[in-house]
Structure formats: C-alpha cells, structure tokens
Amino acid sequence: MKITPTFRNGIGMPPLGFGTYQLSTEQAELSVKEALTVGFRHIDSAEGYYNEEGTGKGIKSANIAREEIFVTTKLFPGFQAWGAPEKTYEQTIETLKKQLKQLQLDYVDLYLIHAPLAELRLEQWRALIELKKIGLTKHIGVSNYNEHIIKEIIDAGMAKPEANQVEFHPICNRMDLTRYMKDNSIVPIAYSSLAPLSTWRTEEGQGGEVMAEIKKESQWVINEIATKLKVSEAKLLLRWGMQQGYSVLTKSNKPERIRENFDVFSFEIPDSDMEQLNQLNKNQPIAWAASGLNPMEAAPALKSKKL
Ligand SMILES: NC(=O)c1ccc[n+]([C@@H]2O[C@H](COP(=O)([O-])OP(=O)(O)OC[C@H]3O[C@@H](n4cnc5c(N)ncnc54)[C@H](OP(=O)(O)O)[C@@H]3O)[C@@H](O)[C@H]2O)c1
C-alpha cells in the first residue's frame, strides 16, 4: 500500500498528524513548530488541552501557508458527572470563536465534539453544522462516538459526521466500528496509537501506568515484528494504523521522537505481520482509563431526540 506524506483523504486530511494532549502551553509552541518543520501537516488540538495559545504560536512561527496545514480542534461538551456544565447551542458557537482567537486562525479544518458526554449532544451537533455553514470550520465530526451514537444524529435527520476520532491500536482495534465508518464514508482518525508501548505517558501524572499487565502480553509481539522489519516499535504502530486506512495522530515533546515518528513512509508492514498484530485485539481502550471513564460507553440519555 503506497501511503505518502502528501496524500490527502476526502476531507483534505494527511495520513499522519501531530497531537497536542499533555503538552504545556510552552511545550505546545515548541513541539508544534518542530512537528511542522519536520513535515507534519495535520495538527490536532482541543479546548480541553488548555494549550491552544501555544499551539497557535507554534503554527504561526513555523511560517507555513495556512492552506497547507490541516488543523483539527475539539469542543469540550461538558459532562455532568464531572460537574462540568453542558454547552448549549450558543455556547458551542462561542467556544469555537474563542478557540480560533487562541489559535490565531480564521478557521479550522475540522471541528469535533470531543466525546458523547452531554445530554445536549444533538443540540451541540446542530451548532457544529452552523459553524461549518458560516465558515469557521471546513468540516465537522465527532470523537469517541460508537455506531449507536452516530446513528442518533442520522436518525434525527441531520448531516452525518464527516470524521470520527477514536482510540485505535492493536489492543483496541475496533474492526466493526471501522467497517461501519467505511460503509458510511466517515473518515477514521486514530489516537493513542502508541498506547501499547511501555514508553507511553511515563511522566508523573500522565496516567500511562494503567493496563500494564494487558499491554505486556502484546509487547513481545510488537517488539519481534519491529525488530524483524528494522523499525522502532513506535513507527510500527503508527504504520499499522495508516495501513488500516486511518489518519493517525502522535504526540511527543522531544524533537528526536517527533522526527522519528514522521519517518513512517519508507517501509511497509507485510500482510502476515499485519494479521499477527490484528490478533492482539482485546477491545481494550487505554487512553482514558486513568480517568476511570470509557468515553465511547459514557453517553447519558439524550435530552431531546428531535430538534
Ligand atoms: N479524542 C480523544 O479523546 C483523544 C484522546 C487521546 C489523544 N487524542 C489526540 O491524539 C493525540 C495522540 O495520542 P497520544 O497523545 O496518546 O499520543 P501517542 O503518540 O499515542 O503517545 C504519546 C506518548 O508516547 C511517547 N512517545 C512518542 N513518540 C515516541 C517514540 N517514538 N518512542 C517511544 N515513545 C514515544 C510520548 O512521550 P514523550 O512526549 O515524552 O516523547 C508520550 O508519552 C493526542 O496528543 C491528542 O491530540 C485524542
């Protein structure tokens, strides 16, 4: 499968993107600039990362034409279980406007609802449709939505999401959801591709120690295949996601790793090794586990099915 850094999918998104979760504002500025300098052309941000000012500065200082860069950001929808009030239609519109100021951008390429955590999620989706109409985002989508929650939108007669960003790696391979998204022309975006590794989120407070036992069982297979193909384990996992048809995201605050993670276009994982990696599936999400939440299963009952 020929995947090139200049490839763009149906919504103009490159196959590989740089994520900004768990970066301080200062780290976001430096790392985003570094990522754009080594060749990344997709930056993934979020209201809930509290660093969009740094991300905006990093984008600006890289001095690359705006139309060459694909910028995604996300709405934090609110979550009553965490005491965070749900955003209304108007608040959703205002939130993107505020985010754009912080990012120093006139528009983003993709705006997502971060997770289906609000009873008001259909109202929020209606606001995203409006945000696209008025040009503040080119495309709209969701994140952490399963088939059932996507269907709520379709059943309400509204435009369906153009993309869905989900945790996706060999331990959590979501083949049914992947097929559903393909059948419905919803662009799949992978986050936390490196979650199976022992080097994932190792700094104090990052929550990477969760699921260590489950991960261990997979690590020797990942190591064996990476060694055979003479690539790092990180590159193997990013490439696996891309070969599954996903646009993949990865994050680091280290220039050498940012460079390494972009170097995933010069090798291919043979079918037999892809299959062996597919066998590692345990349908086990890891990325949000430290918060005690599986965002794909946390949706409260809808406030209203009709809008
Ligand atoms: N929608 C959602 O709910 C959601 C959830 C999670 C993530 N995301 C998005 O997806 C992005 C990617 O997910 P993620 O942050 O979990 O990133 P990731 O790339 O899967 O993992 C990052 C972790 O792996 C380490 N790492 C990075 N490159 C490495 C390498 N070459 N070798 C060994 N270790 C390496 C990093 O450490 P250092 O930083 O110390 O190098 C960091 O601890 C996020 O940043 C965010 O934008 C979205």
Side-chain angles (χ1 to χ4, degrees), residues 167 169 171 194-198 200-202 205-216 219 284-293:
E167 180 173 351
H169 47 71
I171 302 177
L194 306 188
L197 300 184
S198 59
W200 182 79
R201 299 191 184 171
T202 51
Q206 289 187 331
E209 63 286 351
V210 288
M211 311 283 166
E213 280 312 307
I214 285 180
K215 286 172 25 165
K216 243 183 228 158
Q219 281 163 354
Q284 180 58 63
I286 296 170
W288 287 56
S291 71
L293 191 73

Side-chain angles (χ1 to χ4, degrees), residues 121 145-153 155 177 180 299:
R121 57 190 176 276
Y145 273 46
N146 61 33
E147 295 95 311
H148 171 70
I149 309 287
I150 293 173
K151 236 178 133 275
E152 286 174 351
I153 294 177
D155 290 349
L177 177 62
Y180 175 84

Side-chain angles (χ1 to χ4, degrees), residues 228-244:
K228 186 179 81 180
L229 298 179
K230 299 190 174 62
V231 295
S232 69
E233 296 172 3
K235 292 196 330 186
L236 180 79
L237 289 174
L238 295 173
R239 181 77 202 189
W240 177 85
M242 292 188 344
Q243 286 187 208
Q244 297 284 7

Side-chain angles (χ1 to χ4, degrees), residues 18-23 44-45 49 74 112 114-115 143-144 165-167 190-195 197 199-203 206 232 234-235 238 249-254 256-258 260-261 287-288 295:
F18 185 74
T20 56
Y21 181 49
Q22 294 185 326
L23 291 172
D44 182 76
S45 178
Y49 300 166
K74 315 181 195 81
L112 306 175
H114 205 137
S143 177
N144 299 301
Q165 186 184 115
V166 296
E167 180 173 351
Y191 71 71
S192 294
S193 298
L194 306 188
L197 300 184
T199 55
W200 182 79
R201 299 191 184 171
T202 51
E203 282 170 36
Q206 289 187 331
S232 69
K235 292 196 330 186
L238 295 173
L249 300 172
T250 184
K251 165 264 173 188
S252 176
N253 62 19
K254 300 179 177 54
E256 64 281 8
R257 283 184 173 174
I258 295 174
E260 172 191 337
N261 293 349
W288 287 56

